[in-house]
Every structure is written in structure tokens, then in C-alpha cells.
Amino acid sequence: MARLVTLAKAGGKAPFADGGLKLSKSIQTSEIEPHEKFRTLFKIDEDVLQRITGSMKKSGFDASQPVHIWKHTDDAGVTHNYLIDGYTRLSACEKAGITSVPYYEDKFDTEEQAFMHVLHLQVDRRNLAPEELLKFVEELMGSEYVRSTKGRTTEIIADTLGLSPRTVQKAINVIENGDDETKERIASGEITINKADKEIQKRKKKKSAKPAERDGTEDSGDISDSLSEGNAGNPGALNFSHSDGQEHGADERIKGRLDMDNEADVRVAENRRIFLDGRREGYEKGFSDAAYKIWETIVGMLRDGKAADDIESDELFEDFSYVILSEKLGMGYKE
């Protein structure tokens, strides 16, 4: 019968097997050094810390979850046992009175290599909090890893963090254009990155918008204002002021030029009415079909367990032009 060797009996030197693939060793907690960069990467969740502490008091340290230590020799020749992953577990050990833990020894040439390793470990096991997401996106933006990898920066970062490029782009917008107050509101949970991105874009549009130059009359710039508000050059939607002080739409101006006692002009007026009615019905049907399809798609996402923020940042909705969105939704739009 095999003899059971415990960590205490082995004097803290026994190896731990992880599925037979990799062995970890043990180390005294007093020999482990915190590293400021890695200590502050993630906030310790107090609820999680309490649960792990309770588990350790009852069953000891789970050897299948060793901490990760980067053995690094500095320029002065001093070797450090830097803790790069496992700060919650180490804190729980201190509370539970455990003084020896299993660890993997990782070897890296640079701090950035260590960071990338820890990032992958953490992203694989947890959902990033908004302030963590901002921190990691900013770190990756200036990293040698991103600079040396072929492709668009947003896509490389998105792939690294397991996010959509659209979400990463919003984070970059907040990093580059958000003020300290906005970032503090994100950290406190007051607003999401998505909402902050929208607020920043709104402020930028408002700042870049120039007031219409007036020539002394009230109606200067009516055409450009109408075009900029979504009429897309549709003359039927434009209004013009005349000397009588009344607003006249394009349809009224056409009617004013027609002789309704003339058969040809009557046909022109009737054809225009049919055209306008058909266009309105087409708009109504197109809008109705698209709105229902969007609603149906979002309901399906919610049923699949997606959160509201995930749906809002989904690549499906990154372009709301009818042509592109209808193609994504399978509505069969064709030029």
C-alpha cells in the first residue's frame, strides 16, 4: 500500500502533479515577494477571499491551483521570488495560517513576457471588470507584443483579451479621450465603458459642430440644416420660406406650377401622389420588418444568457446602416 506523504511531513519540499503534465514545487510563504505591477493587476474580491479562506481552514491548500512565481535575478545579482499570479490565494493562506504553498516556477526574460503570461491565465478564468479592461487595453496598446504582431491593433488586443474589436475600440476611445472623472465613474461602477464611449462621442460631436453662419435673414442655411438632419437630399422633406411668410414643401411648390384643368398636369399630380404613397408604404414596411428582426435577434441573445452590455457591444450592431444591418440579419437586401 502506497504511503501517503503530506506537505507538512515532507517539510515543504514535496512536488505536486497537475494531471501528470507539469510538476510544481513548494515554497514557504515568507520567501515569496510581491511585485507591485502584478499585485495591482486585479482587485482582490473580498467575498471570494473569504470563501477561499474558509475552504483552506477546512481542507488546506488546493494543490491543483498552485501560485505562479517568476524567479528573476536583477542587475545587482539578487534573485527574487516574485509572485505574479495567486495574490488572493496567498492572502487566504495568511488568514488560514498556512505557511507553505505549491508553486510553478516561470522563467521570463522580460517583465512584459511575464505580464502576457499572467494576462492569459487571468482572462481564461475570470470576467474582466471595466477598470481592469481599460488597464489591460492601455497596457497592450504600448506593448512590444502588439507592435510586433501583424494586424490591426484593435483586433490583436481583442483576440488577446477574448473580446470583440468593437468593445476594444470603445475602451481605446475612453483611454484616449476620457477625462479622469469619466474613468473614476467607470471604476466605481456608476457607468459602463459603453456608456462612457457614447458620452465622449456626444461631447466630441457637440464640440466640433459649428453654428450656422447667418446673413442677417432668419432662413439662411435652411437647406443645409435639413440635409444634415437625415433627409439625405430628399427634396420632398425640405421647407422653403417665401415672401408670404408661409412654409412650402416641394410638393406644394410643384402643385403651384400645375394647371389642374390641364389633363397632362392632372396625370403628373396623380403620378406624384402614387409615388409618394408608395414610398411611404415602402418605408413603413421596411422599418417594420427591420425593427421586428432586431427585436427578435436581441430576445434570442438574452435567452442565450448574454448580458445587455455584451449585446450592445456585439459586432452585429456596430453598423446601423440598413444595407449592412439587413445583410447581417439575413433580410435579403440587394442593391
Side-chain angles (χ1 to χ4, degrees):
M1 183 177 187
R3 185 178 165 201
L4 180 64
V5 179
T6 65
L7 179 60
K9 291 179 181 178
K13 300 298 181 183
F16 294 84
D18 179 15
L21 298 177
K22 187 175 181 179
L23 292 176
S24 67
K25 297 176 285 187
S26 63
I27 188 172
Q28 296 295 313
T29 57
S30 59
E31 298 177 37
I32 299 175
E33 295 179 62
H35 188 291
E36 189 61 22
K37 180 180 182 66
F38 300 101
R39 185 185 67 80
T40 58
L41 274 182
F42 299 93
K43 289 183 179 179
I44 292 180
D45 187 304
E46 287 300 322
D47 290 337
V48 174
L49 176 58
Q50 293 303 321
R51 288 199 300 272
I52 295 178
T53 300
S55 175
M56 285 186 178
K57 286 180 178 179
K58 181 179 179 181
S59 307
F61 193 101
D62 183 357
S64 68
Q65 300 293 326
V67 299
H68 285 250
I69 289 178
W70 174 28
K71 276 192 175 291
H72 174 66
T73 302
D74 62 24
D75 294 338
V78 179
T79 299
H80 302 272
N81 294 318
Y82 286 134
L83 181 65
I84 60 174
D85 180 68
Y87 279 90
T88 299
R89 279 162 283 167
L90 189 64
S91 295
C93 284
E94 294 173 356
K95 291 178 177 294
I98 295 175
T99 59
S100 182
V101 296
Y103 77 100
Y104 284 154
E105 180 181 328
D106 295 300
K107 298 182 183 299
F108 305 104
D109 294 328
T110 66
E111 187 178 289
E112 183 175 304
Q113 290 177 0
F115 167 76
M116 292 300 300
H117 178 67
V118 173
L119 190 59
H120 283 293
L121 288 176
Q122 291 287 351
V123 168
D124 288 344
R125 73 165 74 117
R126 66 193 286 165
N127 293 320
L128 296 178
E131 67 271 24
E132 292 171 342
L133 192 156
L134 290 179
K135 182 191 301 182
F136 296 145
V137 169
E138 186 169 16
E139 181 90 22
L140 288 168
M141 284 169 63
S143 68
E144 179 62 31
Y145 167 74
V146 170
R147 288 197 297 268
S148 62
T149 303
K150 291 183 179 180
R152 295 179 58 191
T153 298
T154 52
E155 293 176 354
I156 297 169
I157 295 175
D159 183 61
T160 302
L161 298 178
L163 303 169
S164 71
R166 179 63 177 153
T167 298
V168 172
Q169 187 57 57
K170 291 178 180 180
I172 291 175
N173 185 33
V174 173
I175 292 167
E176 294 182 341
N177 301 301
D179 53 26
D180 291 340
E181 180 183 355
T182 298
K183 294 173 184 178
E184 287 173 5
R185 290 169 66 202
I186 292 173
S188 67
E190 181 182 342
I191 59 172
T192 62
I193 290 176
N194 185 63
K195 186 173 182 179
D197 171 68
K198 288 182 177 179
E199 289 182 357
I200 293 169
Q201 290 192 48
K202 188 175 180 180
R203 287 199 298 268
K204 288 171 68 177
K205 287 179 180 178
K206 186 176 181 180
K207 186 176 181 180
S208 62
K210 295 181 179 179
E213 293 183 4
R214 299 291 181 174
D215 61 1
T217 65
E218 292 184 2
D219 302 303
S220 176
D222 282 352
I223 296 178
S224 61
D225 289 345
S226 297
L227 288 174
S228 68
E229 290 174 2
N231 294 315
N234 170 22
L238 300 180
N239 289 323
F240 299 84
S241 283
H242 294 261
S243 58
D244 59 4
Q246 301 297 314
E247 298 291 339
H248 298 267
D251 195 38
E252 290 299 317
R253 292 187 298 107
I254 290 174
K255 286 182 179 179
R257 291 199 300 268
L258 296 178
D259 180 359
M260 300 312 292
D261 291 330
N262 182 290
E263 184 178 347
D265 282 1
V266 170
R267 285 199 301 272
V268 169
E270 179 62 15
N271 287 339
R272 178 163 178 76
R273 184 191 64 76
I274 293 172
F275 165 74
L276 292 174
D277 287 347
R279 183 176 64 178
R280 185 181 64 252
E281 290 176 5
Y283 281 161
E284 289 174 351
K285 186 177 188 312
F287 182 81
S288 176
D289 289 350
Y292 179 79
K293 188 66 176 179
I294 292 171
W295 173 83
E296 184 181 51
T297 301
I298 291 175
V299 169
M301 289 177 164
L302 289 171
R303 285 176 177 162
D304 289 340
K306 278 199 169 185
D309 281 350
D310 294 332
I311 294 175
E312 195 168 13
S313 61
D314 194 284
E315 291 182 16
L316 176 64
F317 300 116
E318 66 184 351
D319 191 327
F320 256 86
S321 63
Y322 180 73
V323 175
I324 294 179
L325 190 57
S326 63
E327 289 178 348
K328 289 182 178 180
L329 294 172
M331 295 176 67
Y333 177 89
K334 292 183 180 179
E335 292 283 1

